[in-house]
Every structure is written in C-alpha cells, then in structure tokens.
Amino acid sequence: MKVTGAQAIIKALEIENVTHIFGYPGAAICPFYNALLDSNIKHILTRHEQGAAHAANGYARVTGKTGVCVATSGPGATNLITGIATAYMDSIPIVAITGQVPTNLIGRDVFQEADITGATAPFCKHNYLVKNVEDLPRILKEAFHIASSGRPGPVLIDVPIDVQNSELHFKYPEEIDIRGYKPTYKGHPLQIKRIAEAIEKAKFPVICAGGGIISGKARDELMELVIKCNIPVVTTLMGIGSIPTDHEMCLGMLGSHGSYFANYAIHNADLIIIMGARVGDRAMASANKIAEKASIIHIDIDPAEIGKNIDVEIPVVGDVKSILQDLLQVVKKGDTDEWLEKIRKVRQEHTAKRKGTDEDIDQDGAVKPKFLLKMLSKMMEDDDAVITTEVGQNQIWAANNLTIRKPGKFITSGGMGTMGYGLPAAVGAKVGCPNTRVITISGDGSFQMSLQELGTIKQHKLGIKIVILNNSRLGMVRELQKMKYCSRYSHVSLEDNPDFVKLAYAYGINGERITKNFEVEDALKRMLSDDKAYLLDCVVDPEEPTL
Amino acid sequence: MAKHILSVLVENHAGVLSRVAGLFSRRGFNIDSLAVGITENPEVSRMTIVVDGDEYTVEQVSKQLNKLINVIRVKKLEAQDSVRRELALIKVNASASTRSEIIQIVEIFRAKIVDVSKNTLTIEVSGDEEKVGALEDMLKQFGIKEIVRTGLIALERGNRHIKANNNDEE
Ligand SMILES: Cc1ncc(C[n+]2csc(CCOP(=O)(O)OP(=O)(O)O)c2C)c(N)n1
C-alpha cells in the first residue's frame, strides 16, 4: 500500500516506539501535522521551538529514550538551533524533524526558507536533507540509530513539503549498515588489564565520573568498582547522580564551581580514572598540570575525546558499562586507606570552617539559596524527584547543595550553559515521567528566556514546581564583574522585573513570593503539598556568593 | 610546522565536502590543500588532505574526521611510503627571445607545453610539491601570469591500500 512521505514519517516514529513529540507547526510541516492526527502519538505544543528542542532533551534524559521535536521551515527551524546545540554539547539523543520549502525552490531564498542542514552541521551528530521520498524510511531508521548509539547526540531531518506529500511504498528497513559509523563498544582487553594493574598499584586514586556514566547506564557497575576498590569519586556537572551525592565516597563536583574536596582530590591524586567525561575547561582548567602529577586513565565511547584536552596514559575506547563489567572481572583492590583518611580529614576541617555559614543563618534575612536547597532535599528524602536547572548561580547552587541519589534526576545544560533550558526541560521531564515530581530551579534572568512555556505547562496540565531564586540580577555575570572587573557592573540589573507570581496567575498557575529565610520551610511545604504546578518566587540577596 | 597527508574515503553524497571543509574551519585546523575525486567505487570518493600542524593536530583532525558519519576511513600517509603528485598549469610570458630558453627548461622538468600564444606559453607539469615549486622558481624570471594547482593527491606505494568496505589492508 502506498503512503505519503508525511505518513511514512509517522509510521517510522511509531515503529521506533515514539509516544510523545514536542513541536510547533507551520505551513511547511503541515502534511506531517495532518498525518499526526491519525496516530496515537501525543504531541506537546510548546510556545517556542527552542522550548520544543529543550523539552525533547529533558524527555530523553529522564526516559533514556530518544526525544523528538518538530518545527516548520525557516524561522521554526532556526529557533530549534540553540536546543539542538545544547543537546549536542551534552550528548543527548534527539531527532529533530523540520519542514522545508519545496525541493524545486530550495536555494532561491523563497518565503521561510533556511538552509537548516548547513546551519546545524556544526552541532548535529548528523543531519539529512531528504530529496527523495523513497529514502525516508531508511533515513528515519538511521537517524534514530545514530542519535541513540555510540556517543548520543542530535540528528536533524529536513523534509521538503513536496517530499512529505509524495507517495512511496513504505517498508521500514530491518537492519542498517552505515559504512562510516561503527561505534566501538567492547573495550580492548589489554587496556582493561592495564587499568586493573594501575588501580592495584595506586595509593591515591580518584574516579572522575561524567555524563557518560548516566547515558551509558553504568551506575551499578561504577558503584561496584567504588566499593570493591575503595576509590573515591568526583563528578562533573553532567555526572551528578552517577553516585549518590550523599554517599561517603562521593566528593562532589569538581572544577571552577565545584567542591573544595573534589578539587583537592584531583590535585593530590596519583591516579585519575576519567569515565564518560570530556575534560571540559570548566572542570579541569589546568588539565595538563594535573596530568603531570597523576597517571590518567580515560574511558570514553568517543575516541575523539580521549587525549583532546589532557595527556592520557591509558586510553580505552568503548562503552563504559561494558568496560566496567570487564574490569570488575579482573581488578583487585589496592591500598587506599591512607588516602581515604586524608580526604576524611580535609573534609572535616573544611566543614568545621564553614560551620556557621550554613547553619546559623539569619532567619530574618533574605532567602539563602543554599539553605533553601538543602531544606528542599531534606523534605524530599524519599522522593524520586527530577530537578532541572537554569544557568547561572541557581545552577551551581543546585549542583552543590541538592542531594541527588540517582542518575537522570539532575538535568542541567552543562556543555553550552544555555539559559532558558530549565523550564522547557522540566516540561519534557514531566511528560516523560508524569508520576514523578519535577522541580525546576531557576534564576530570574533565565526564567524570562522561556517563561512562555508556562502556557505549555498550563495547557498540558503539567504539575511542575518552579523555584525562582530571584536576585533581580544576572547573578553569575554580576559576580564575575564584581571579582574580575572591580565591581563595575555593566548591564546586569533586572530591577524592573515583573511580579512573577502574578504572571503565573495570569497563566492560571498558583504561586507565592517569599522574602525572608524563616518563610522557606512553610512555603516549600505548601509548594510540595499537591501535584499541581506552582511557582515559588524567592527573594535572594544579590551579594549572595555562588560558592 | 610539518605537513601531513591524510587519505580520506568518504561516501559520495551531496554535502560531504562542505562537512569536511567546515570541520576544519570550525575546529581551527589549517588545510594546506584538499583534492577530491571519485574512486573505483562510484559510491565512494577519496579526499587527499594536506594538513599543517604537529602530531597532536593531525591526530585530532583524524579523530574528528572519523566522527563524521559520511567518512568511511581516514589514513595518514607517510611521505616515504607514498606516491605523491600534483598537477599545475603555469602561464608564463614568452617573447621570441625567451621562448627557446623556456622550452629547454620545460624539457628538463619533463613538463609539457599545452598552449601557445604570441606572448605566452602555458605549461603543464605534474610531480610532487618540490618539483612543481622548482619549475615555478625557474619560470619566475620570465614573469608568471597565472598559476593553477590541483593540490596534492597521493596513494600508498606497493600492495598496501585502503578499502572502503572493510578494515583489511593488504
Ligand atoms: C542564552 C544565554 N545567554 C547568556 C548567558 C550568559 N550568562 C551566564 S549566567 C548568566 C546570568 C544568569 O542570570 P539568572 O538566570 O538570573 O541566574 P542567577 O545567576 O542570578 O542565578 C548569564 C547572562 C548564557 N549562559 N546563556
């Protein structure tokens, strides 16, 4: 039987087990939207295409599936770009489908034409312009395969409207063979043996766990290694949740915005085992200085990440789960007692020094973000909540002060640092896990980059909790200007912010504003008391430091 | 900085060249030259890319190229183990008095004269970069009007070759 190109796309999505998609229609994608009406796939209409891309991202991160977003040609497609680039930098599998002007008009600057395959090539894992309707089934199969295998990432498919309307005999390929794409999964046995030997020999080993542990679903294997060999763990921003943040072996996040102990451990280690992390400059600014002191093992599915930013002694390419499984067969415990004792002491001293800053805070003062976040974690001890964040101080406060016990529960834009990510990512997370509590931690600046998604939240009855840490400033940039530019504040004030609670009301969402620390506990209780959407606007002192 | 030759087999699809070239500019690598043509298999093209940089750069270039879905294989060719050629056309001023001298030089270089006019000769030369460069140097004294060079192409010597379909090399 013949189907149209648009119907073929829908059929392919169904075969790929896609149940929810995020998008925004327009003329050039109308055949697709028309065919969508005959399918059981649920479509979430966002209020901006960037929101659709971020929502697909959040959805992918909580479900472990590939997220799908859809947009029309031209401005719809270009609005996806920031979302696609965000997914690329964090290795999140999404498939973006865009409409395009008719094939015979491509390249003539006609109405709503944009060269979206050209524009997204730098931050797509791969992309396609479909010229022949017969290619659609193969391309969709390839796109889902490429997005979700190897190092995951975004794939874009640009489909001209005439291709959506042409007919084909639909046959979904059973197998695919992409000559240039054969990710390595199995780690080299010799290299794995070398890791085992290095671990046995090391006196001061530390594991650096990145987002690859989470996307590679290697949490259990990581924990087994940590416990078997007594090795402490630091995480990257993307790796938060790969080990429970309140586990005694977890030293917190490393890097310029990380914890003191995490950085202490990295700088004093004699062996650093990097797993599924790309050694970004924010995590390891002086990567090669670190490498001079310690031996580096780097495990990654993407060979291009190994040796890119740091000199590596033992490189291992492959799937971190499978490599850890193999490693656990051969590795023996070394002697790390002295090291753990040293770290324990440093932690104690440091905690003692900080006492009083966290505990004895002024209850009449403005809301203290760290206090609020710790309180929130305490109140949700047994809750399986997903937290998304925006970018800025709010993100770092959340990363360092929340208790995150499971992978996929902390969702943030690590690689790009995209403001306006948290709210739509929460939309995707809630759609993906409707029975899980989803909370987004936001700054007043970031919130205003995608607050229109309040409409999406309302329309689709998504019970998302929004906590705005409101300093009426672009807090993190202001802090930078304070420290590096002698407090010459240049355009970081948002003093005439709207009343966010009223704004929420305008969207039919409840909320409240608190200004004092003593109000935190009750306000959080009210917020968590049901599963409806709620906005909590918290007034924070602009001078509040990030760390 | 050293020059390195990469032999890259790619799927013969639209847009592949721009992906490869874009990768270089995006990542701040310098391409010295890039020559593309179809191979014995019409679905596969071979790019010969000359890269300027140290070992680290070449390794990064190779890894990043390998990440492109349309790139099938990347291989670094060692100068001593490969045959390298470039084709150049050189249009040089030639008067009645200099013409015979130019023809002599062309013969020494085993180059060819492919076009003649009253005031110019156009010379075709193929060889490695040094040979083409040397001829260019010799012709400079007469006044070169135009030059076009194809960029380097290269193949491994002997039995060794890169295959598109599997990873075997003989
Ligand atoms: C789209 C985008 N534009 C600009 C920036 C630069 N930037 C990083 S943090 C920040 C301030 C964020 O302010 P806010 O959301 O209020 O959070 P706060 O730091 O105050 O918690 C800015 C402007 C960015 N990361 N993303």
Side-chain angles (χ1 to χ4, degrees):
Chain A
M1 202 191 69
K2 283 201 156 187
V3 299
T4 65
Q7 288 168 329
I9 300 173
I10 304 277
K11 266 177 173 281
L13 295 180
E14 286 167 350
I15 297 170
E16 293 291 343
N17 279 323
V18 173
T19 53
H20 296 83
I21 61 179
F22 305 87
Y24 208 101
I29 192 75
C30 261
F32 170 88
Y33 271 90
N34 188 35
L36 183 61
L37 288 178
D38 302 320
S39 163
N40 287 327
I41 294 175
K42 298 214 171 48
H43 176 271
I44 310 296
L45 176 67
T46 56
R47 295 301 184 263
H48 189 298
E49 287 86 353
Q50 189 183 131
H54 290 330
N57 180 320
Y59 179 89
R61 289 177 68 167
V62 298
T63 59
K65 291 167 55 172
T66 297
V68 178
C69 57
V70 185
T72 191
S73 68
T78 54
N79 270 350
L80 285 179
I81 289 179
T82 303
I84 291 171
T86 302
Y88 184 68
M89 292 293 278
D90 290 340
S91 310
I92 307 302
I94 63 175
V95 168
I97 298 167
T98 50
Q100 182 55 281
V101 301
T103 316
N104 62 341
L105 295 181
I106 287 176
R108 302 201 199 169
D109 299 331
V110 296
F111 179 65
Q112 291 196 333
E113 182 190 356
D115 172 13
I116 197 65
T117 45
T120 55
F123 25 71
C124 267
K125 193 168 168 187
H126 193 51
N127 65 23
Y128 298 88
L129 169 60
V130 185
K131 291 214 173 122
N132 184 346
V133 70
E134 301 285 343
D135 293 338
L136 266 174
R138 173 186 58 83
I139 286 176
L140 272 130
K141 174 103 184 167
E142 285 184 7
F144 275 90
H145 173 66
I146 292 170
S148 61
S149 58
R151 178 181 183 171
V155 177
L156 179 136
I157 309 172
D158 197 27
V159 197
I161 187 166
D162 55 314
V163 173
Q164 294 174 53
N165 284 327
S166 314
E167 292 196 323
L168 73 157
H169 282 289
F170 184 87
K171 191 171 173 297
Y172 206 58
E174 307 244 309
E175 290 190 3
I176 25 173
D177 180 31
I178 311 168
R179 273 193 293 198
Y181 182 69
K182 303 257 170 2
T184 308
Y185 289 101
K186 202 87 184 124
H188 197 285
L190 258 174
Q191 296 297 80
I192 290 171
K193 236 183 96 200
R194 285 182 67 200
I195 303 182
E197 285 163 11
I199 287 177
E200 277 161 53
K201 256 196 3 224
K203 288 265 169 281
F204 313 117
V206 58
I207 290 170
C208 169
I213 296 285
I214 294 168
S215 62
K217 302 186 174 68
R219 140 56 93 68
D220 293 349
E221 289 76 7
L222 171 68
M223 292 312 295
E224 205 181 322
L225 180 70
V226 167
I227 288 160
K228 180 171 181 190
C229 297
N230 255 324
I231 306 175
V233 180
V234 303
T235 71
T236 64
L237 182 58
M238 292 301 291
I240 291 178
S242 53
I243 169 169
T245 51
D246 56 354
H247 193 282
E248 56 168 349
M249 283 296 192
C250 179
L251 306 180
M253 179 171 79
L254 86 164
S256 53
H257 286 108
S259 85
Y260 179 80
F261 342 104
N263 288 311
Y264 169 86
I266 285 286
H267 284 274
N268 290 280
D270 63 352
L271 177 69
I272 302 172
I273 311 162
I274 303 168
M275 302 180 185
R278 62 194 175 88
V279 196
D281 52 331
R282 291 278 167 120
M284 286 196 196
S286 50
N288 277 329
K289 261 204 205 110
I290 294 169
E292 273 169 28
K293 287 205 280 183
S295 302
I296 311 278
I297 295 170
H298 195 165
I299 303 170
D300 207 293
I301 189 117
D302 181 358
E305 285 305 335
I306 300 178
K308 188 170 86 177
N309 298 332
I310 194 164
D311 291 337
V312 173
E313 200 166 299
I314 311 177
V316 194
V317 178
D319 171 50
V320 64
K321 189 182 180 84
S322 134
I323 289 170
L324 283 174
Q325 281 168 348
D326 292 349
L327 178 64
L328 283 164
Q329 301 288 319
V330 292
V331 74
K332 290 196 205 76
K333 178 179 179 306
D335 178 13
T336 61
D337 291 352
E338 185 193 336
W339 178 225
L340 293 178
E341 188 49 41
K342 230 171 158 175
I343 289 173
R344 208 170 294 139
K345 252 173 102 185
V346 173
R347 201 199 282 244
Q348 254 171 17
E349 281 164 19
H350 195 72
T351 318
K353 233 192 285 170
R354 287 187 73 91
K355 250 207 160 67
T357 47
D358 290 350
E359 274 79 6
D360 313 327
I361 43 167
D362 174 11
Q363 291 295 338
D364 287 325
V367 176
K368 291 268 178 200
K370 295 171 204 167
F371 171 78
L372 179 143
L373 291 160
K374 284 183 178 150
M375 173 83 74
L376 180 62
S377 277
K378 218 181 283 166
M379 292 168 77
M380 297 196 304
E381 201 79 59
D382 309 313
D383 201 314
D384 219 12
V386 170
I387 309 277
T388 74
T389 83
E390 292 292 349
V391 171
Q393 292 187 293
N394 62 84
Q395 176 184 38
I396 305 301
W397 283 326
N400 286 326
N401 297 287
L402 288 168
T403 310
I404 307 289
R405 296 207 176 80
K406 287 193 196 146
K409 299 294 181 187
F410 184 73
I411 295 186
T412 194
S413 165
M416 276 272 281
T418 307
M419 288 171 71
Y421 170 80
L423 190 63
V427 166
K430 190 69 185 171
V431 169
C433 294
N435 298 322
T436 304
R437 204 196 294 279
V438 176
I439 302 175
T440 183
I441 307 295
S442 189
D444 49 300
S446 299
F447 180 69
Q448 293 183 75
M449 284 215 179
S450 49
L451 66 83
Q452 70 279 6
E453 300 307 334
L454 290 175
T456 312
I457 290 172
K458 179 64 185 167
Q459 182 182 354
H460 296 281
K461 302 192 177 58
L462 303 170
I464 293 166
K465 312 293 183 183
I466 303 157
V467 177
I468 303 179
L469 301 172
N470 184 352
N471 48 19
S472 300
R473 305 287 188 287
L474 299 173
M476 185 164 263
V477 181
R478 182 180 185 275
E479 192 176 40
L480 177 74
Q481 292 177 353
K482 180 174 177 170
M483 299 200 297
K484 290 255 166 76
Y485 298 89
C486 308
S487 297
R488 276 163 56 85
Y489 297 121
S490 181
H491 305 279
V492 288
S493 168
L494 297 171
E495 256 165 301
D496 283 320
N497 266 337
D499 180 333
F500 293 122
V501 177
K502 276 195 187 145
L503 198 70
Y505 269 86
Y507 279 99
I509 292 171
N510 274 334
E512 66 178 298
R513 178 183 172 93
I514 56 171
T515 56
K516 300 274 184 272
N517 228 358
F518 65 76
E519 299 173 286
V520 166
E521 188 167 358
D522 288 344
L524 288 179
K525 268 190 198 142
R526 283 190 291 276
M527 179 178 90
L528 298 175
S529 67
D530 62 19
D531 15 280
K532 294 209 190 67
Y534 199 84
L535 184 147
L536 183 60
D537 184 19
C538 312
V539 176
V540 169
D541 181 356
E543 300 297 335
E544 189 67 32
T546 302
L547 291 177
Chain B
M1 268 206 238
K3 295 201 191 309
H4 305 268
I5 307 166
L6 295 177
S7 192
V8 184
L9 293 178
V10 300
E11 308 248 21
N12 192 15
H13 288 167
V16 178
L17 181 58
S18 85
R19 272 175 221 264
V20 169
L23 186 149
F24 276 79
S25 60
R26 195 157 66 240
R27 303 231 174 226
F29 301 134
N30 278 332
I31 308 186
D32 230 48
S33 75
L34 192 165
V36 206
I38 210 160
T39 63
E40 72 283 357
N41 178 348
E43 288 174 15
V44 176
S45 292
R46 184 191 296 268
M47 297 186 178
T48 308
I49 306 177
V50 180
V51 196
D52 218 0
D54 51 15
E55 286 296 330
Y56 169 82
T57 310
V58 180
E59 196 185 322
Q60 291 303 311
V61 171
S62 308
K63 284 176 168 175
Q64 294 297 339
L65 282 171
N66 256 319
K67 276 179 77 163
L68 296 179
I69 307 290
N70 296 130
V71 168
I72 304 165
R73 298 226 39 208
V74 180
K75 175 121 201 248
K76 188 177 158 209
L77 301 185
E78 299 304 333
Q80 66 274 18
D81 297 334
S82 53
V83 185
R84 295 169 300 144
R85 289 290 180 275
E86 188 175 7
L87 179 70
L89 295 174
I90 306 174
K91 187 182 288 180
V92 65
N93 287 330
S95 62
S97 61
T98 59
R99 198 168 290 261
S100 67
E101 193 182 342
I102 294 173
I103 292 170
Q104 243 179 25
I105 292 170
V106 167
E107 272 169 11
I108 293 166
F109 277 86
R110 286 187 213 163
K112 253 196 269 175
I113 291 169
V114 289
D115 188 50
V116 185
S117 77
K118 238 164 84 187
N119 306 318
T120 63
L121 288 170
T122 300
I123 294 149
E124 172 194 315
V125 58
S126 76
D128 58 20
E129 296 150 291
E130 289 81 47
K131 178 177 168 183
V132 176
L135 176 59
E136 187 187 328
D137 268 354
M138 292 300 293
L139 294 176
K140 260 189 198 144
Q141 52 182 315
F142 307 104
I144 292 174
K145 291 185 86 81
E146 265 183 322
I147 288 189
V148 56
R149 296 170 73 151
T150 55
L152 204 66
I153 55 170
L155 279 184
E156 281 175 288
R157 286 184 190 279
N159 271 337
R160 294 153 62 86
H161 63 281
I162 313 169
K163 276 190 189 166
N165 291 326
N166 56 41
N167 291 340
D168 291 340
E169 286 172 44
E170 283 155 30

